[in-house]
């Protein structure tokens, strides 16, 4: 049986998160894709509760998680500490990275193959 990989998007903008998810679903209709954006007041920002709910709603066995900015990453990391399934935080370009992971998961690629393809899209830190 092929392991089910999903994709999760955390953005400061609800519109951005929804748009990226829409793009992914166009080429990966069978991949569990969940997303959230904005803070609890509907403004720009990150929400622990919204990230936790959307990540938990992802039906995949393992999830590749992408984010747009630092506080979304920090909040996502806190949520990941309590996650009941493996969540792989990807420090990759949001749109390109999430699209690559979703397309490869749609094709049944292994974790190693997906991770390898994401390497060139990783944000380099000095």
């Amino acid at each position: 049986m092929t392991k089910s990989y999903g994709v999760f998007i955390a953005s400061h903008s609800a519109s951005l998160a929804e748009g990226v998810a829409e793009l992914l679903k166009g080429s990966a209709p069978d991949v569990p894709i969940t997303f959230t954006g904005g803070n609890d007041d509907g403004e720009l920002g990150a929400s622990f509760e919204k990230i936790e709910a959307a990540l938990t709603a992802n039906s995949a066995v393992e999830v590749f998680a992408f984010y747009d900015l630092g506080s979304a990453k920090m909040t996502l990391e806190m949520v990941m500490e309590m996650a009941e399934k493996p969540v792989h935080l990807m420090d990759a370009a949001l749109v390109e990275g999430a699209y690559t992971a979703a397309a490869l998961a749609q094709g049944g690629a292994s974790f190693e193959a997906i991770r390898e393809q994401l390497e060139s899209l990783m944000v380099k830190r000095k």
Side-chain angles (χ1 to χ4, degrees), residues 3 19 44 48-49 79 107 112 114:
K3 188 177 273 192
L44 293 176
F48 182 92
E49 289 78 15
V79 171
E112 294 78 17
I114 294 170

Side-chain angles (χ1 to χ4, degrees), residues 17-121:
E18 184 175 8
V20 172
E22 178 184 15
L23 178 67
L24 272 55
K25 289 176 183 178
S27 60
D30 301 322
V31 174
I33 298 167
T34 55
F35 62 91
T36 190
N39 65 21
D40 293 329
D41 296 325
E43 303 291 326
L44 293 176
S47 162
F48 182 92
E49 289 78 15
K50 290 173 73 172
I51 289 174
E52 181 180 40
L55 185 58
T56 300
N58 193 300
S59 63
V61 173
E62 288 189 48
V63 178
F64 287 92
F66 298 87
Y67 62 93
D68 61 357
L69 298 171
S71 62
K73 177 183 181 180
M74 291 186 313
T75 306
L76 184 52
E77 288 173 329
M78 288 188 289
V79 171
M80 288 170 55
E81 291 178 11
M82 297 179 291
E84 295 183 7
K85 60 183 143 200
V87 179
H88 307 283
L89 184 64
M90 298 287 108
D91 288 322
L94 174 62
V95 176
E96 295 88 344
Y99 186 87
T100 297
L104 290 170
Q106 177 69 31
S110 68
F111 174 83
E112 294 78 17
I114 294 170
R115 184 75 172 91
E116 184 177 312
Q117 288 297 311
L118 290 173
E119 276 301 314
S120 67
L121 300 172

